[in-house]
Amino acid sequence: PHGLNDYGAYMTAEEYIHGVFLALPGDIIIDSNAYLQVMELLSSGNADMATTLSPLVNVADTHPVAKVEGLQAIEYIAKAPSQLDPDHLRDLMIFASSPKLFHYMRLYPNPEGYLGNVVEKIVRNHHSLDALLYESPWLHVGYPEDLLKPLPF
């Protein structure tokens, strides 16, 4: 719906979602195979959610960052620090989830209206977030300054 932040848009969609779904931002351009891969990752494991992470951290500086061990996110920072660790990966905010996401959104309310804050609390409270490593080029078109950055390919 027009005028909603991502958090509000997901909460509005809850009544229409009855199974596993893919949530994606409108400002990321990636290889379309990644959508299928993150859905397969979620269905093949026991995680509550799955997301897509990139080692190309400089493409955007407004998206969260995470650290992983194997396929599991062990740290997730919604508001990425200006100084990143070498093992940080950029979250593309392409999530696969079951309707359990809505349970977490109620469990961890977010007055800022940003889904990344909810995901940070999911990881911090030891719920599982699987991570697909996306190593192909991607483009963030959300902010004009990101379009001035060198292309990662």
Side-chain angles (χ1 to χ4, degrees):
H2 180 71
L4 290 179
N5 51 41
D6 61 354
Y7 184 88
Y10 290 122
M11 289 305 287
T12 300
E14 179 180 15
E15 67 181 284
Y16 304 103
I17 296 175
H18 305 290
V20 173
F21 66 96
L22 184 65
L24 34 122
D27 62 355
I28 298 291
I29 299 172
I30 65 167
D31 180 339
S32 60
N33 289 323
Y35 303 130
L36 178 61
Q37 292 170 345
V38 75
M39 291 290 283
E40 288 173 346
L41 178 61
L42 179 68
S43 64
S44 67
N46 295 318
D48 295 321
M49 292 178 65
T51 192
T52 309
L53 301 175
S54 172
L56 303 173
V57 294
N58 294 326
V59 175
D61 52 14
T62 54
H63 280 230
V65 293
K67 293 183 180 184
V68 297
E69 282 183 6
L71 295 176
Q72 189 82 53
I74 57 167
E75 179 183 276
Y76 190 94
I77 306 171
K79 291 183 178 85
S82 57
Q83 191 70 14
L84 299 178
D85 293 342
D87 55 346
H88 273 128
L89 300 167
R90 184 72 65 191
D91 191 0
L92 303 181
M93 303 292 289
I94 298 167
F95 296 108
S97 183
S98 70
K100 193 166 189 177
L101 172 63
F102 304 113
H103 162 75
Y104 288 128
M105 291 175 81
R106 283 188 292 280
L107 185 62
Y108 308 122
N110 179 20
E112 291 180 40
Y114 181 50
L115 187 61
N117 293 336
V118 176
V119 177
E120 182 177 315
K121 290 176 184 173
I122 288 170
V123 173
R124 187 180 316 133
N125 289 294
H126 308 290
H127 305 292
S128 54
L129 174 67
D130 278 352
L132 172 71
L133 183 60
Y134 179 79
E135 297 185 271
S136 296
W138 61 285
L139 186 62
H140 184 245
V141 297
Y143 298 97
E145 60 269 20
D146 288 335
L147 296 175
L148 299 174
K149 293 178 181 177
L151 294 176
F153 44 89

